[in-house]
């Protein structure tokens, strides 16, 4: 008599645990340690060419070896970080880049529109799969049809005659 009750209790516990509302991906911090995404490694120390040209130290201010992600991103995209105006205006040398990237128009509320469309898409996709006994990656399941296969895209571009960079072989694990 006790064994059926224990089995029934375990089945009930598993069934109830599947009813918990979970996010697509649970990316919350699991410990009390530092957040590795907030730690930026400093630039390597270098000896200046002229010690008299060094800026005066400012307590709490920036250091020459501190990372500047915004300026580094501008440089990586081909812009000139020194030409960026502090007012947030677009430097004249980058006007062509901005014009080319916005040639099809830019909606002012694109983020809100995209968020609303994604919420509607998620609501439609979640209807059939709310209860799962084993943990699964719901994000991967929901967005699997929107995932780009880089190897197929590379092959399609090569067939079309577009020069493509070399790519590593497909890993068939």
């Amino acid at each position: 008599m006790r064994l059926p009750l224990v089995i029934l209790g375990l089945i009930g516990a598993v069934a109830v645990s599947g009813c918990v509302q979970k996010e697509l991906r649970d990316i919350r911090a699991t410990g009390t340690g530092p957040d590795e995404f907030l730690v930026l490694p400093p630039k390597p120390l270098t000896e200046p060419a002229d010690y008299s040209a060094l800026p005066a130290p400012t307590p709490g201010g920036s250091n020459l070896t501190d990372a500047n992600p915004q300026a580094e991103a501008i440089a990586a995209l081909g812009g000139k970080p020194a030409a960026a105006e502090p007012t947030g205006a677009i430097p004249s040398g980058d006007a062509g880049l901005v014009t080319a990237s916005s040639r099809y128009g830019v909606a002012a509320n694109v983020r809100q529109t995209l968020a609303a469309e994604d919420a509607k898409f998620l609501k439609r996709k979640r209807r059939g799969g709310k209860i799962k006994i084993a943990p699964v990656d719901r994000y991967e399941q929901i967005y699997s049809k929107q995932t780009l296969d880089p190897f197929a895209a590379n092959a399609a571009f090569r067939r079309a005659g577009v020069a493509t960079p070399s790519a590593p072989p497909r890993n068939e694990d």
Side-chain angles (χ1 to χ4, degrees):
M1 185 69 181
R2 284 188 171 186
L3 185 61
L5 287 176
V6 170
I7 293 173
L8 186 63
L10 286 174
I11 292 172
V14 168
V16 170
S17 68
C19 297
V20 176
Q21 177 70 22
K22 294 183 180 178
E23 297 297 322
L24 288 178
R25 288 197 172 166
D26 194 6
I27 312 179
R28 288 177 284 171
T30 57
T32 57
D35 185 0
E36 64 271 13
F37 296 108
L38 293 178
V39 178
L40 294 175
K43 295 178 187 172
L45 292 175
T46 57
E47 185 175 355
D50 183 14
Y51 283 97
S52 61
L54 290 175
T58 54
S62 65
N63 191 337
L64 292 177
T65 61
D66 289 343
N68 185 350
Q70 186 172 5
E72 291 170 11
I74 291 170
L77 293 172
K80 297 177 183 76
E85 296 143 15
T87 59
I90 300 167
S92 60
D94 294 338
L97 175 66
V98 173
T99 303
S101 63
S102 60
R103 65 187 173 273
Y104 299 118
V106 177
N109 64 343
V110 67
R111 292 178 188 237
Q112 293 83 5
T113 304
L114 181 61
E117 289 173 359
D118 191 49
K120 191 186 310 180
F121 174 77
L122 286 175
K123 186 176 181 181
R124 192 172 61 246
K125 289 291 186 176
R126 283 185 173 172
R127 286 188 182 138
K130 286 191 176 184
I131 299 174
K132 297 288 180 188
I133 295 189
V136 294
D137 188 359
R138 295 289 295 142
Y139 185 89
E140 198 65 38
Q141 286 180 342
I142 290 174
Y143 292 105
S144 64
K145 291 183 180 175
Q146 298 179 3
T147 303
L148 175 68
D149 180 8
F151 299 103
N154 194 16
F157 277 110
R158 285 183 179 170
R159 281 192 305 273
V162 177
T164 59
S166 63
R170 185 184 295 259
N171 190 0
E172 302 290 339
D173 284 339

